[in-house]
Structures are given as C-alpha cells and as structure tokens.
Amino acid sequence: MKLTHLITREIAHRKLTFGLSVLAIAVAAVALVAADMVVRADALATDRILSAKQAETEEVLAEKVRVVAAAGADLEEAMRKHMKGLGFNVLILPEQQDPAELHLSGSLSETMPASYADRLGDSSIMTINHLLPTVLKQVKWPEQELDVILYGTRGEVPLMHRALKKPVLDAVAPGQMVVGWSIHQKLGLQVGQEVEFFGRKFTVSVLHPERGSTDDVTLWIDLNQAQEILGLQNLIHAILALECDCAGDRISEIRREIAGILPGTQVIERHSQALARAEARTKAKLVAEESLAAEQEASAATLARERAARAELEAQHQQVAQVVIPLVLLLAVAAVGVLAFNNVRYRREEIGILRALGLRTSQVLYVFLGKAVLSGIIGGVLGVVIGLLGGWAVTHWVGDWPTDSPLLNDLLASPGFVFTLLSTPVLAVVLAAVASWLAAAAAAAQDAAVVLQGE
Amino acid sequence: MLLELRGIHKTYHGAAGGQVQALRDVSLQLDAGQFVAIRGPSGCGKSSLLLTAGTLLAPDSGEVLIQGEQPYQMSSDRRATFRAEQLGFVFQQFHLVPYLSVLENVLAARIALPVGVGSTGGAAENDDQRRASELLEQFGLGDRLGHTPSQLSSGERQRCALARALLNRPALLLADEPTGNLDPENSAIVLRALRQFADGGGAVLLVTHDEQASTAADRVLHMNSGQFVA
C-alpha cells in the first residue's frame, strides 16, 4: 500500500470537500484564462478593426487619388488640345514687322534668319517650352484660284538644355498638307487626296474641323517647301512659342529673356486664353490636391478616434482584470485553505494513528499536499477547458468582437495565449499547494500523543 | 532486554500555569516473551507510560531503551521508522481509518516502512497482502476484507486493529485498554491474541482497568499518581 492510495481513497470518501476545492481552483483558473482571453481578444479585435478601417480608408483614398489623377490627366490632355487648337501664346517677330498686318490679314511680310530658332533652342531660355519656326503668308492658290494663308512649319526646335517634352503641334511632313475647314469645304478635299499647289504635288493628310479663326483659311505644309514656294530660303517670318509654365503674367520676363538672345526681334502675346486655361488647370489641380489632403486628414482622424476608443476599452478591460483576478485568486486560496484546515480537523484521529504507525513528517505533508496538487491539476485543467469553452462562446455570440473569423483560432495561434493555457494548470497546482500548505504543516506538526491521549 | 525504562519523569504544564506530574521516576524492564499488565485508576499515568514506551511522548528526564537503542536520541523521522519497525499499537478506540477497507487498514501499517523491510524483495506488496489476509483470517475477519470499519462491530474493529498492529512483526506490542469497549467474548479473543504474541517471542505491555484482562499477563504492576506501587 502506498501513500497515493491513501490520498485517492480519502478523496473518494470525502468527495464533496475535494469537489469544492477543485471548484475553487477551477474558478480561479477560469478567471485567469478568461481575463487573458478578453485582454488578448481586445488587442486582436483592435488590430482587426483598425486594419479593416485602414484598408477601407486606403481603398477610398486610392480611388480618390485615381479619380484625381484621371481628372488631372484628362484636364491636361484637354489643355494640350485646347492650346494646340488655340495656337501659341508667344510670337517672336522681326522688330520691323507691324503686328497689325498679322491681325488684319493673318499674314506676315518681314523676315529673319531661320537660324534664330536654332539659336533660341541652343540657349538656356527658361520661360518658353516649345519653339516652332514658321513662314506665314497670304497667297493665292494658283491652281484653285483661292486666297489662302500658307503656313510653313517644320515642327519643334528642341530646347537643348531641357528634357524632351511631348510636342504640342506635330510637324507636317514634306509632301503632306493640312487643310483648314473653309478650304476643304470649298474644294471638297478628302484625306489622302493629291492636290497641286504652286506646281508641286501634296497629299492631304489632315482636314481640320471648323475653328472660327484664320485657321479655317490656312494650309499647313513643310517649312522648307513653303520657303521654296515663297522664295524665302533660310528665312522665316516668326517663331511660335508656347509658354506652358505661365502661371501669372510673365510676358515681360519672356520679352526680356528673348531680347537678350535674339536682338532685333519683338515678342507679342497670342491667344492669352491658354494662360487662363493653364491657370485653371493649376487651380483645379490644387483644389483636387486639397480635397485629397482633407480626405486623408479626415481618414487619419477617424482612425485615431477609433484607435483611442479601442485603447480605452482595452484599458477598461485590463483594469477590471487587474481587480478581478487577484480577488478571485485570493478567494480561491482562502476557500482551498479553509477546506484544507477543515480536512485536517476531521482527520486528527487518522493523523494520530498514522503517526503512531510510523508515518514521517514528510509523509504526512505528502498526504495533504498530494491531495492539494491533485485538486490543482484537476481544477486547473477543468478551468482551462471551461475558460476556453466560455471564451469560444463569448467570441462567437457576445461582445463587439468580429464574428466572421472566430477569435479563438487566432488566440490559439498566439504563443502568449498558449503559454497561459499551459501555465494555468501549473499555477493552479501551485495555488492549491500554497493554500493547503499551512493546513498540511499543521497536520504534520500534530502531536500523535496528544491526539491518542485525548481519545 | 527488549524494553527498559529508567527513572522516567513526565510533567504536563497546563495553560493556567498548573502542573500535573504524570510519571515520577518510573523504571521498568521487559524481556522478549513477557506479557506485563499495568493497572491503576484513571489519570494515574498509565497511558503516559505507554506512549512514552511507544516513542510518542518524550519524557522530561530518564531513559527509554528499546532493543538497546534510545529512540528519543534519534531524529524524528528515524524514530518514526523505528516505531514502525519495532512497535505495534492497540487502542481502546481502535483508530481505524474510516475510508479504508478492513484489509487496507491492516496494510496501512506498511505505509511507513521502506519497501522490502519486514518482507521479501520485489514481491513485497503481495507478501504484505498475503500476511494481512492471514492475520485477518486468524482473527475471524476473512470474510470482511472489503468492508469498511463502519460496517464492523466493535469486536471486529478491535481485531482488525490487532491485525494491523501485528502486520510488521513488531518486537513490542503496546495495548491501551484494548478490551475497554468489547464484550467478554471479544475481550477473550484479544487477550488470547496478546498472549500468543508474547508466547511467540514478542513482548506485550498492556495498560488496563480490567482485572480480567490482567489475568492474561505474566506480571501485573499497579500504578498510582505516576508511580508504581506495591
């Protein structure tokens, strides 16, 4: 016969006492597991809620950014087209050219060297972006007996110190012709049709829609061919330039800069609507950016509020846990201690005779502490199981935890929580042993002679 | 000499400052095979003498020798083991463990002993069970092995306690009023068992009021006020 047999038989004999001890330990274990579960579930729920909010916000913002970017791109494209349609907002003319001629007839008569465009392109000019050397002259189309404005252009002269930009006006290839609205309407021209112009063959490449300006009576051809037709080899009438970065009135600055590079020229402003549209574009972009910034700020504030609310909730739960857990542990210790002392009192006679039979102090301690350890193991395991089941129920049906993905699975994947589950039975055993220690010590210290004499 | 008490003194100190001299210069010698009965009125010190001889009540002065060893010079744990090996107890109130069966109560005497002591090697537990069953059979409890003490009569309980006291083959059996709660028939059974134990080479120290009980003893000593009297 062994001491463990004595322990198990005594437990079987006094089931209620043992059951109450197990219950007290189990309650303490449940409190530990449940409190840890609630606190960890809070943190997990917070992460999940904030992540969802963050993702939602980012999605909204991304959509907003996409919309703003698309709107900006649309606007930019529209502006580019508008500008192209409107012409150029800066025109460099020979100094002796009367601008009134251009306004009255749409044509120019004074010339300047074609190399001026290259000189400007090679310079470090900052105020203009696109340069187009042109000849521009009102002529009679001899083959059609029709007055037209001949516009010779060779495409953009690259600004050597800048990165290449998308050209606002495409060059007209040699042998090609772009025809204004009135002209192709009068002559019934079609794209791809061959026409003769000053004895040269041209293919109609583009037919412009109606613009309501001198463009409607203009023919665009390659600059060199136009120079040959007009007898203006190596000469041009004007350099057309577009000032793209022109927020505000900078014409005087442009004039000053060009005068330094091309003396003997003058600069006149053309189609200032381009400036207004550029400003509108800038303003639209600003408004969109401000709107986006406000949206981001509002989202950040919402997230911050949510985070603060969750932090407050977590703090409340932690405070409750900090009060409840020690209280429950204390009550459990007290309950187990009282039950153990009662057990010792009931077993005075038994202890006396066991001592008379030769049981050592350590063996008497073993009998009582062994029982406590057993109640700790059973109570601890029971508490963990009940705590888990309770936690499972709570995370499924109660509280503000998200229910789409059970938190218990996430909790069980957390090493910290697994540690709590594993350490709780150990702690329960320690708790039961500590609570029973005084009673066991009292039993071991009991004087057999006193008991046996008392009987 | 199996048991020798030399000049034992024992005084109890009451909570109110009062003192009771339980034993006054008591000396006693007991050899193997002897059955000694001590008689005297209540409170004369008989039980104190028995507990002192049983290594459960340390004397204030004097010497206790059992098998030539002084148990009160031993550590508490060593003394407990010594007690388990050398002594057997029978009390008036039986002191059976209520939640153990009759057989288990007898076997409880083995708990304190290291495995193998007083028995044979690895089959110790089976040997213990066999011996316990034989003892219970001898005392007429062969058919009550699985019963609990509450299901036994007083006589049966005392016979169970007697079997427990004998399980470890003690050298000295200490009996405190073992027939006090028994009918004449059961008293006779118990006294006969004590006699047989002494005849078998053991020593018995019996403390009793019962004149009939003392007739089974080889020698009867009278005690009064903590002293042996003529």
Side-chain angles (χ1 to χ4, degrees):
Chain A
M1 188 166 178
K2 295 187 172 67
L3 282 174
T4 45
H5 187 69
L6 205 65
I7 294 170
T8 52
R9 292 307 302 269
E10 198 273 332
I11 287 170
H13 182 66
R14 296 192 178 95
K15 295 183 192 75
L16 182 63
T17 308
F18 186 72
L20 288 174
S21 289
V22 168
L23 182 65
I25 297 292
V27 167
V30 166
L32 270 177
V33 171
D36 191 53
M37 184 178 263
V38 167
V39 170
R40 287 178 191 279
D42 274 346
L44 276 173
T46 298
D47 282 350
R48 191 172 290 174
I49 289 167
L50 291 181
S51 295
K53 288 257 183 208
Q54 181 85 38
E56 189 184 328
T57 303
E58 281 171 2
E59 199 177 325
V60 168
L61 286 177
E63 178 60 17
K64 198 95 177 173
V65 167
R66 196 189 62 72
V67 168
V68 167
D74 288 349
L75 185 60
E76 194 171 350
E77 185 60 19
M79 287 302 298
R80 197 178 75 81
K81 287 176 181 168
H82 279 309
M83 286 174 184
K84 190 162 70 175
L86 286 167
F88 307 94
N89 65 338
V90 173
L91 194 57
I92 304 165
L93 301 171
E95 195 172 31
Q96 63 275 22
Q97 174 66 52
D98 182 1
E101 185 186 353
L102 176 65
H103 301 318
L104 290 170
S105 64
S107 131
L108 295 166
S109 53
E110 297 296 332
T111 60
M112 57 187 174
S115 60
Y116 270 30
D118 295 325
R119 193 192 298 178
L120 204 55
D122 292 342
S123 73
S124 57
I125 189 163
M126 296 302 294
T127 48
I128 56 178
N129 283 323
H130 306 281
L131 299 173
L132 290 103
T134 59
V135 290
L136 189 64
K137 188 74 178 175
Q138 185 180 347
V139 297
K140 186 176 282 293
W141 187 345
E143 287 82 357
Q144 302 291 343
E145 288 294 315
L146 185 66
D147 286 330
V148 297
I149 295 171
L150 178 61
Y151 201 123
T153 178
R154 75 170 200 204
E156 287 187 33
V157 174
L159 288 159
M160 299 309 287
H161 64 288
R162 308 267 188 91
L164 282 175
K165 291 194 173 184
K166 189 175 181 181
V168 294
L169 194 66
D170 297 325
V172 183
Q176 303 277 310
M177 177 183 281
V178 175
V179 184
W181 184 77
S182 292
I183 301 169
H184 67 73
Q185 287 295 310
K186 278 181 184 168
L187 302 178
L189 298 177
Q190 300 295 322
V191 172
Q193 186 178 341
E194 274 202 352
V195 294
E196 195 171 324
F197 185 69
F198 283 93
R200 296 162 188 259
K201 297 286 185 192
F202 289 89
T203 302
V204 176
S205 60
V206 176
L207 297 174
H208 274 320
E210 186 177 15
R211 289 177 172 171
S213 67
T214 53
D215 284 358
D216 292 345
V217 292
T218 301
L219 288 175
W220 288 267
I221 63 172
D222 174 61
L223 178 64
N224 287 336
Q225 289 183 310
Q227 285 170 326
E228 286 169 10
I229 288 168
L230 297 174
L232 296 172
Q233 282 84 350
N234 297 321
L235 294 172
I236 53 174
H237 286 124
I239 300 170
L240 304 172
L242 178 62
E243 203 283 304
C244 288
D245 305 323
C246 47
D249 181 9
R250 298 176 65 193
I251 190 67
S252 56
E253 191 183 335
I254 294 168
R255 280 177 177 145
R256 191 167 52 251
E257 211 174 5
I258 290 176
I261 300 162
L262 300 176
T265 60
Q266 61 174 318
V267 177
I268 64 169
E269 187 183 4
R270 292 270 287 171
H271 304 297
S272 60
Q273 295 96 319
L275 273 175
R277 286 183 185 271
E279 282 172 5
R281 182 183 66 170
T282 306
K283 190 166 184 180
K285 190 180 172 193
L286 270 176
V287 168
E289 284 171 352
E290 281 171 6
S291 161
L292 189 62
E295 188 83 24
Q296 283 170 329
E297 202 173 322
S299 301
T302 304
L303 272 177
R305 276 197 302 276
E306 185 72 37
R307 190 172 285 115
R310 293 295 311 176
E312 194 179 344
L313 182 71
E314 283 180 33
Q316 282 173 357
H317 285 174
Q318 277 176 347
Q319 280 171 353
V320 170
Q322 280 166 0
V323 173
V324 168
I325 288 179
L327 196 66
V328 171
L329 291 183
L330 202 66
L331 287 174
V333 167
V336 173
V338 167
L339 288 167
F341 266 111
N342 265 337
N343 192 239
V344 169
R345 193 165 58 84
Y346 289 139
R347 298 171 72 183
R348 279 186 80 238
E349 181 188 345
E350 179 192 333
I351 296 162
I353 191 61
L354 288 174
R355 293 309 296 263
L357 290 173
L359 237 66
R360 296 184 295 278
T361 304
S362 57
Q363 288 176 307
V364 176
L365 276 175
Y366 181 90
V367 168
F368 285 89
L369 290 180
K371 183 180 172 183
V373 166
L374 209 57
S375 71
I377 291 170
I378 297 172
V381 171
L382 205 63
V384 167
V385 172
I386 294 171
L388 275 177
L389 288 175
W392 178 80
V394 166
T395 57
H396 269 72
W397 296 311
V398 188
D400 59 349
W401 288 290
T403 54
D404 53 340
S405 163
L407 277 175
L408 194 60
N409 293 342
D410 292 344
L411 284 171
L412 288 174
S414 152
F417 188 63
V418 171
F419 176 77
T420 300
L421 294 184
L422 294 179
S423 61
T424 296
V426 177
L427 190 67
V429 168
V430 173
L431 189 80
V434 167
S436 304
W437 179 260
L438 283 178
Q446 201 159 286
D447 189 339
V450 173
V451 176
L452 296 172
Q453 274 182 316
E455 295 300 329
Chain B
M1 194 63 59
L2 199 148
L3 171 68
E4 187 172 5
L5 306 180
R6 293 180 191 156
I8 301 295
H9 284 268
K10 180 67 184 177
T11 302
Y12 295 112
H13 301 276
Q19 292 186 345
V20 176
Q21 280 196 305
L23 299 172
R24 301 179 189 193
D25 194 24
V26 174
S27 294
L28 173 70
Q29 290 185 334
L30 192 60
D31 272 325
Q34 281 193 332
F35 185 160
V36 173
I38 299 172
R39 292 188 61 203
S42 292
C44 72
K46 301 189 300 290
S47 292
S48 295
L49 178 66
L50 191 91
L51 292 172
T52 300
T55 73
L56 289 167
L57 185 66
D60 295 333
S61 62
E63 283 183 343
V64 176
L65 284 97
I66 301 172
Q67 303 272 49
E69 295 196 61
Q70 295 189 50
Y72 291 109
Q73 299 297 316
M74 298 173 183
S75 69
S76 170
D77 283 352
R78 173 73 193 100
R79 187 165 64 247
T81 304
F82 179 82
R83 187 161 55 239
E85 289 169 351
Q86 302 293 339
L87 305 179
F89 289 90
V90 183
F91 297 95
Q92 183 178 1
Q93 298 297 334
F94 327 125
H95 294 312
L96 296 175
V97 180
Y99 50 83
L100 296 180
S101 68
V102 167
L103 180 63
E104 288 167 339
N105 260 291
V106 175
L107 288 169
R110 292 292 303 165
I111 294 176
L113 284 182
V115 176
V117 174
S119 192
T120 52
E125 205 160 312
N126 287 338
D127 286 349
D128 293 341
Q129 293 234 4
R130 190 165 52 247
R131 175 162 167 74
S133 299
E134 284 170 3
L135 283 168
L136 288 167
E137 190 75 39
Q138 183 186 329
F139 291 125
L141 294 171
D143 57 343
R144 313 299 295 272
L145 301 186
H147 289 210
T148 56
S150 61
Q151 294 171 312
L152 302 180
S153 67
S154 296
E156 288 169 329
R157 290 180 198 179
Q158 193 60 298
R159 280 183 269 151
C160 178
L162 196 56
R164 180 179 65 190
L166 296 173
L167 182 75
N168 291 340
R169 295 184 175 87
L172 174 63
L173 199 57
L174 301 163
D176 190 353
E177 302 281 8
T179 58
N181 285 331
L182 303 183
D183 55 46
E185 187 184 346
N186 277 299
S187 294
I189 292 171
V190 169
L191 291 171
R192 194 162 54 243
L194 295 179
R195 182 68 259 175
Q196 281 174 354
F197 177 74
D199 292 344
V204 177
L205 184 61
L206 170 69
V207 166
T208 183
H209 281 108
D210 187 1
E211 191 176 345
Q212 177 67 30
S214 60
T215 57
D218 301 320
R219 187 157 48 116
V220 179
L221 300 172
H222 293 271
M223 225 180 156
N224 200 3
S225 301
Q227 289 178 309
F228 288 125
V229 292

